[in-house]
Every structure is written in structure tokens, then in C-alpha cells.
């Protein structure tokens, strides 16, 4: 019963967060693409973040990483594919820079985990990824 209640509250809270953040951002003149790449993406990823943080705190790093990677793979292939089946998805205002950032982030993640041979992301690398994200968001907002 607690799991069901938590799920309902999580979905409801996510909807309230995303809906109001989008209204606020569009009110400031941000494009829908920037809103989708930043606020909506962050809002819909909060459940994964919460789950991954709890798993990491409990020393279940496999669950934390699996949750993040699995969610991204599911979103790209299943959600994007299902949405395109219903109606073709135009590229819209998503720029080549956005695609390059996605590809570079994936290559960097692969490089830190496998090429360096450690099979883990250090705190310093985590800080690096966070700084990269903040710079990307700053770039997005500056383009408005």
C-alpha cells in the first residue's frame, strides 16, 4: 500500500512540478525546445534521481547505475519509438548542438567507465559531469 501511495504521490508531484515549471519558463520567453531539454527533462528524471541516490547511499551502486542507464535506454527506444508510431516526430527546435552534447556525454561516460578500465565514476568525474550540465543549461538559456 505504501508503494502504491508513493507512486501516486511521485507521479502527481512530478506533474505539478513540470506543468508549473513549463508555464514559468514560457512566461520568461524560453522556447519549448529549451523547456523540454531542461525543465521537463529534469522534472521527469527526479524519480530516477531519488531512486539512484537512495541506492547509492545503501551501497547498491549496480541498482543506481542500472536505473539511470535503463531509464535512458527505455526513454530513447521505447518512448520515442512509441510516440513516433502514433505521430511522426519533427526535430523541432532541437539543434545539432543538442545532439552533439548527447553524443559527447555518452562517449565521455563510456570513456570514464571502460576506456580508463576502472569500471566506476569517481567523485571528481561526477563533479565534471555536473559542471558540463550546468554549462550546457547556461548555453541553452543564453540562446533565448
Amino acid at each position: 500500500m505504501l508503494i502504491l501511495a508513493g507512486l501516486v504521490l511521485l507521479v502527481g508531484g512530478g506533474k505539478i512540478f513540470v506543468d508549473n515549471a513549463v508555464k514559468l519558463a514560457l512566461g520568461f520567453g524560453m522556447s519549448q525546445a529549451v523547456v523540454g531539454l531542461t525543465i521537463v527533462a529534469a522534472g521527469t528524471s527526479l524519480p530516477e534521481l531519488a531512486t539512484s541516490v537512495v541506492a547509492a547511499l545503501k551501497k547498491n551502486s549496480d541498482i543506481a547505475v542500472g536505473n539511470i542507464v535503463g531509464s535512458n535506454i527505455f526513454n530513447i527506444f521505447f518512448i520515442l519509438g512509441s510516440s513516433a508510431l502514433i505521430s511522426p516526430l519533427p526535430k523541432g527546435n532541437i539543434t545539432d548542438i543538442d545532439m552533439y552534447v548527447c553524443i559527447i556525454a555518452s562517449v565521455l561516460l563510456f570513456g570514464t567507465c571502460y576506456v580508463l578500465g576502472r569500471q566506476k565514476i569517481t567523485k571528481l568525474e561526477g563533479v565534471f559531469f555536473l559542471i558540463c550540465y550546468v554549462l550546457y543549461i547556461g548555453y541553452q538559456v543564453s540562446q533565448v
Side-chain angles (χ1 to χ4, degrees), residues 45-82:
S45 295
L46 289 176
E48 286 89 0
L49 177 62
T51 302
S52 296
V53 167
V54 169
L57 289 173
K58 293 184 176 186
K59 306 292 185 208
N60 293 324
S61 60
D62 288 347
I63 290 181
V65 173
N67 178 44
I68 296 165
V69 173
S71 173
N72 286 307
I73 291 170
F74 179 79
N75 286 337
I76 290 170
F77 290 117
F78 187 79
I79 301 300
L80 190 63
S82 298

Short mmCIF file of all heavy atoms in Angstrom, two decimals, residues 45-82:
data_model
loop_
_atom_site.label_atom_id
_atom_site.label_comp_id
_atom_site.label_asym_id
_atom_site.label_seq_id
_atom_site.Cartn_x
_atom_site.Cartn_y
_atom_site.Cartn_z
N SER A 45 13.05 13.34 -14.61
CA SER A 45 14.16 12.50 -14.13
C SER A 45 14.28 12.49 -12.61
O SER A 45 15.09 11.75 -12.07
CB SER A 45 15.47 12.99 -14.74
OG SER A 45 15.45 12.80 -16.13
N LEU A 46 13.51 13.32 -11.93
CA LEU A 46 13.59 13.35 -10.46
C LEU A 46 13.33 11.99 -9.81
O LEU A 46 14.01 11.64 -8.85
CB LEU A 46 12.66 14.43 -9.90
CG LEU A 46 13.11 15.88 -10.14
CD1 LEU A 46 12.06 16.86 -9.61
CD2 LEU A 46 14.46 16.15 -9.50
N PRO A 47 12.36 11.20 -10.30
CA PRO A 47 12.18 9.88 -9.69
C PRO A 47 13.43 9.00 -9.83
O PRO A 47 13.81 8.31 -8.88
CB PRO A 47 11.00 9.28 -10.46
CG PRO A 47 10.25 10.45 -10.98
CD PRO A 47 11.28 11.50 -11.27
N GLU A 48 14.08 9.03 -11.00
CA GLU A 48 15.32 8.25 -11.18
C GLU A 48 16.41 8.76 -10.26
O GLU A 48 17.17 7.99 -9.69
CB GLU A 48 15.79 8.30 -12.64
CG GLU A 48 14.97 7.46 -13.58
CD GLU A 48 13.80 8.21 -14.18
OE1 GLU A 48 13.60 9.41 -13.87
OE2 GLU A 48 13.07 7.58 -14.95
N LEU A 49 16.48 10.09 -10.13
CA LEU A 49 17.49 10.67 -9.25
C LEU A 49 17.27 10.23 -7.81
O LEU A 49 18.21 9.80 -7.13
CB LEU A 49 17.47 12.20 -9.35
CG LEU A 49 18.44 12.94 -8.44
CD1 LEU A 49 19.88 12.57 -8.75
CD2 LEU A 49 18.24 14.44 -8.55
N ALA A 50 16.04 10.31 -7.35
CA ALA A 50 15.73 9.91 -5.97
C ALA A 50 16.06 8.43 -5.75
O ALA A 50 16.69 8.07 -4.75
CB ALA A 50 14.26 10.18 -5.67
N THR A 51 15.66 7.58 -6.69
CA THR A 51 15.94 6.15 -6.57
C THR A 51 17.44 5.89 -6.58
O THR A 51 17.94 5.09 -5.78
CB THR A 51 15.27 5.39 -7.74
OG1 THR A 51 13.87 5.66 -7.70
CG2 THR A 51 15.51 3.90 -7.63
N SER A 52 18.16 6.55 -7.46
CA SER A 52 19.60 6.33 -7.57
C SER A 52 20.35 6.82 -6.34
O SER A 52 21.30 6.18 -5.89
CB SER A 52 20.14 7.01 -8.83
OG SER A 52 19.57 6.42 -9.97
N VAL A 53 19.92 7.96 -5.79
CA VAL A 53 20.57 8.48 -4.58
C VAL A 53 20.36 7.51 -3.41
O VAL A 53 21.30 7.19 -2.68
CB VAL A 53 20.05 9.90 -4.24
CG1 VAL A 53 20.45 10.31 -2.84
CG2 VAL A 53 20.57 10.90 -5.26
N VAL A 54 19.14 7.03 -3.25
CA VAL A 54 18.85 6.08 -2.17
C VAL A 54 19.67 4.80 -2.37
O VAL A 54 20.27 4.28 -1.42
CB VAL A 54 17.34 5.77 -2.09
CG1 VAL A 54 17.07 4.60 -1.16
CG2 VAL A 54 16.58 7.00 -1.62
N ALA A 55 19.72 4.31 -3.60
CA ALA A 55 20.50 3.09 -3.88
C ALA A 55 21.98 3.32 -3.61
O ALA A 55 22.66 2.46 -3.02
CB ALA A 55 20.29 2.65 -5.32
N ALA A 56 22.51 4.47 -4.00
CA ALA A 56 23.92 4.76 -3.77
C ALA A 56 24.21 4.87 -2.27
O ALA A 56 25.24 4.38 -1.79
CB ALA A 56 24.33 6.05 -4.49
N LEU A 57 23.32 5.51 -1.52
CA LEU A 57 23.51 5.63 -0.07
C LEU A 57 23.49 4.27 0.62
O LEU A 57 24.16 4.07 1.63
CB LEU A 57 22.42 6.53 0.53
CG LEU A 57 22.54 8.02 0.20
CD1 LEU A 57 21.31 8.77 0.71
CD2 LEU A 57 23.82 8.62 0.79
N LYS A 58 22.74 3.33 0.05
CA LYS A 58 22.67 1.98 0.61
C LYS A 58 23.73 1.05 0.02
O LYS A 58 23.67 -0.15 0.19
CB LYS A 58 21.27 1.39 0.40
CG LYS A 58 20.20 2.10 1.19
CD LYS A 58 18.86 1.43 1.03
CE LYS A 58 17.84 2.10 1.93
NZ LYS A 58 16.56 1.40 1.91
N LYS A 59 24.69 1.65 -0.72
CA LYS A 59 25.80 0.92 -1.33
C LYS A 59 25.34 -0.09 -2.37
O LYS A 59 25.96 -1.11 -2.58
CB LYS A 59 26.65 0.20 -0.25
CG LYS A 59 27.14 1.11 0.86
CD LYS A 59 28.15 2.08 0.37
CE LYS A 59 28.70 2.87 1.56
NZ LYS A 59 29.15 4.17 1.22
N ASN A 60 24.22 0.21 -3.04
CA ASN A 60 23.72 -0.62 -4.14
C ASN A 60 23.99 0.10 -5.46
O ASN A 60 23.07 0.49 -6.18
CB ASN A 60 22.21 -0.88 -3.98
CG ASN A 60 21.91 -1.74 -2.79
OD1 ASN A 60 22.66 -2.65 -2.47
ND2 ASN A 60 20.81 -1.46 -2.13
N SER A 61 25.26 0.27 -5.77
CA SER A 61 25.62 1.07 -6.94
C SER A 61 25.13 0.45 -8.24
O SER A 61 24.83 1.17 -9.20
CB SER A 61 27.13 1.27 -6.99
OG SER A 61 27.80 0.03 -7.06
N ASP A 62 25.02 -0.87 -8.31
CA ASP A 62 24.51 -1.50 -9.53
C ASP A 62 23.08 -1.07 -9.83
O ASP A 62 22.71 -0.83 -10.98
CB ASP A 62 24.56 -3.03 -9.43
CG ASP A 62 25.98 -3.56 -9.50
OD1 ASP A 62 26.89 -2.80 -9.87
OD2 ASP A 62 26.18 -4.74 -9.17
N ILE A 63 22.27 -0.95 -8.78
CA ILE A 63 20.90 -0.51 -8.97
C ILE A 63 20.88 0.95 -9.39
O ILE A 63 20.12 1.35 -10.27
CB ILE A 63 20.06 -0.74 -7.70
CG1 ILE A 63 19.86 -2.23 -7.50
CG2 ILE A 63 18.74 0.01 -7.77
CD1 ILE A 63 19.05 -2.63 -6.31
N ALA A 64 21.73 1.78 -8.79
CA ALA A 64 21.78 3.20 -9.13
C ALA A 64 22.14 3.39 -10.60
O ALA A 64 21.46 4.10 -11.34
CB ALA A 64 22.78 3.92 -8.23
N VAL A 65 23.20 2.74 -11.04
CA VAL A 65 23.65 2.89 -12.44
C VAL A 65 22.64 2.23 -13.38
O VAL A 65 22.29 2.80 -14.42
CB VAL A 65 25.06 2.30 -12.62
CG1 VAL A 65 25.46 2.30 -14.08
CG2 VAL A 65 26.07 3.09 -11.80
N GLY A 66 22.16 1.05 -13.04
CA GLY A 66 21.19 0.36 -13.88
C GLY A 66 19.91 1.17 -14.05
O GLY A 66 19.32 1.21 -15.13
N ASN A 67 19.49 1.83 -12.99
CA ASN A 67 18.29 2.67 -13.04
C ASN A 67 18.49 3.82 -14.02
O ASN A 67 17.63 4.10 -14.85
CB ASN A 67 17.98 3.20 -11.64
CG ASN A 67 16.78 4.11 -11.64
OD1 ASN A 67 15.77 3.82 -12.24
ND2 ASN A 67 16.91 5.22 -10.94
N ILE A 68 19.61 4.48 -13.96
CA ILE A 68 19.88 5.63 -14.83
C ILE A 68 20.03 5.19 -16.27
O ILE A 68 19.38 5.72 -17.18
CB ILE A 68 21.15 6.38 -14.35
CG1 ILE A 68 20.91 6.97 -12.97
CG2 ILE A 68 21.53 7.45 -15.34
CD1 ILE A 68 22.17 7.41 -12.27
N VAL A 69 20.88 4.20 -16.51
CA VAL A 69 21.12 3.74 -17.88
C VAL A 69 19.86 3.12 -18.46
O VAL A 69 19.47 3.40 -19.60
CB VAL A 69 22.32 2.75 -17.92
CG1 VAL A 69 22.48 2.15 -19.30
CG2 VAL A 69 23.60 3.46 -17.50
N GLY A 70 19.19 2.29 -17.67
CA GLY A 70 17.97 1.65 -18.15
C GLY A 70 16.89 2.65 -18.48
O GLY A 70 16.19 2.52 -19.50
N SER A 71 16.75 3.67 -17.66
CA SER A 71 15.76 4.71 -17.92
C SER A 71 16.05 5.45 -19.21
O SER A 71 15.14 5.71 -20.01
CB SER A 71 15.73 5.70 -16.75
OG SER A 71 14.89 6.78 -17.06
N ASN A 72 17.30 5.77 -19.44
CA ASN A 72 17.65 6.49 -20.67
C ASN A 72 17.44 5.62 -21.91
O ASN A 72 16.94 6.09 -22.92
CB ASN A 72 19.09 7.00 -20.60
CG ASN A 72 19.20 8.18 -19.67
OD1 ASN A 72 18.47 9.14 -19.80
ND2 ASN A 72 20.10 8.09 -18.71
N ILE A 73 17.82 4.36 -21.83
CA ILE A 73 17.62 3.46 -22.96
C ILE A 73 16.12 3.28 -23.22
O ILE A 73 15.67 3.33 -24.36
CB ILE A 73 18.31 2.10 -22.70
CG1 ILE A 73 19.82 2.28 -22.74
CG2 ILE A 73 17.86 1.06 -23.73
CD1 ILE A 73 20.60 1.07 -22.27
N PHE A 74 15.34 3.10 -22.15
CA PHE A 74 13.89 2.96 -22.28
C PHE A 74 13.29 4.21 -22.92
O PHE A 74 12.46 4.12 -23.83
CB PHE A 74 13.27 2.72 -20.90
CG PHE A 74 11.78 2.58 -20.92
CD1 PHE A 74 11.18 1.39 -21.31
CD2 PHE A 74 10.97 3.63 -20.54
CE1 PHE A 74 9.80 1.26 -21.32
CE2 PHE A 74 9.59 3.52 -20.56
CZ PHE A 74 9.00 2.32 -20.95
N ASN A 75 13.71 5.39 -22.45
CA ASN A 75 13.17 6.64 -23.00
C ASN A 75 13.50 6.81 -24.47
O ASN A 75 12.65 7.21 -25.27
CB ASN A 75 13.67 7.85 -22.20
CG ASN A 75 13.01 7.98 -20.86
OD1 ASN A 75 11.91 7.48 -20.64
ND2 ASN A 75 13.68 8.64 -19.94
N ILE A 76 14.74 6.52 -24.84
CA ILE A 76 15.16 6.72 -26.23
C ILE A 76 14.45 5.73 -27.15
O ILE A 76 13.88 6.12 -28.18
CB ILE A 76 16.68 6.62 -26.37
CG1 ILE A 76 17.35 7.82 -25.71
CG2 ILE A 76 17.10 6.52 -27.84
CD1 ILE A 76 18.85 7.71 -25.59
N PHE A 77 14.49 4.47 -26.81
CA PHE A 77 13.96 3.47 -27.73
C PHE A 77 12.45 3.26 -27.61
O PHE A 77 11.72 3.32 -28.60
CB PHE A 77 14.69 2.14 -27.56
CG PHE A 77 16.11 2.19 -28.04
CD1 PHE A 77 17.16 1.99 -27.17
CD2 PHE A 77 16.40 2.44 -29.37
CE1 PHE A 77 18.47 2.04 -27.61
CE2 PHE A 77 17.70 2.50 -29.83
CZ PHE A 77 18.74 2.29 -28.94
N PHE A 78 11.95 3.02 -26.42
CA PHE A 78 10.54 2.68 -26.27
C PHE A 78 9.64 3.91 -26.36
O PHE A 78 8.68 3.93 -27.15
CB PHE A 78 10.29 1.95 -24.94
CG PHE A 78 8.89 1.43 -24.81
CD1 PHE A 78 8.52 0.26 -25.46
CD2 PHE A 78 7.94 2.11 -24.08
CE1 PHE A 78 7.21 -0.22 -25.37
CE2 PHE A 78 6.64 1.64 -23.98
CZ PHE A 78 6.27 0.47 -24.63
N ILE A 79 9.93 4.93 -25.57
CA ILE A 79 9.06 6.12 -25.55
C ILE A 79 9.14 6.86 -26.88
O ILE A 79 8.11 7.22 -27.46
CB ILE A 79 9.43 7.05 -24.38
CG1 ILE A 79 9.30 6.33 -23.04
CG2 ILE A 79 8.58 8.32 -24.41
CD1 ILE A 79 7.93 5.81 -22.71
N LEU A 80 10.35 7.09 -27.37
CA LEU A 80 10.49 7.78 -28.65
C LEU A 80 9.87 6.97 -29.78
O LEU A 80 9.16 7.51 -30.62
CB LEU A 80 11.97 8.06 -28.92
CG LEU A 80 12.30 8.96 -30.10
CD1 LEU A 80 11.74 10.36 -29.86
CD2 LEU A 80 13.80 9.04 -30.29
N GLY A 81 10.13 5.67 -29.79
CA GLY A 81 9.55 4.81 -30.82
C GLY A 81 8.04 4.76 -30.76
O GLY A 81 7.37 4.86 -31.80
N SER A 82 7.48 4.61 -29.57
CA SER A 82 6.02 4.57 -29.42
C SER A 82 5.39 5.89 -29.84
O SER A 82 4.35 5.91 -30.52
CB SER A 82 5.64 4.29 -27.96
OG SER A 82 6.13 3.04 -27.57
#
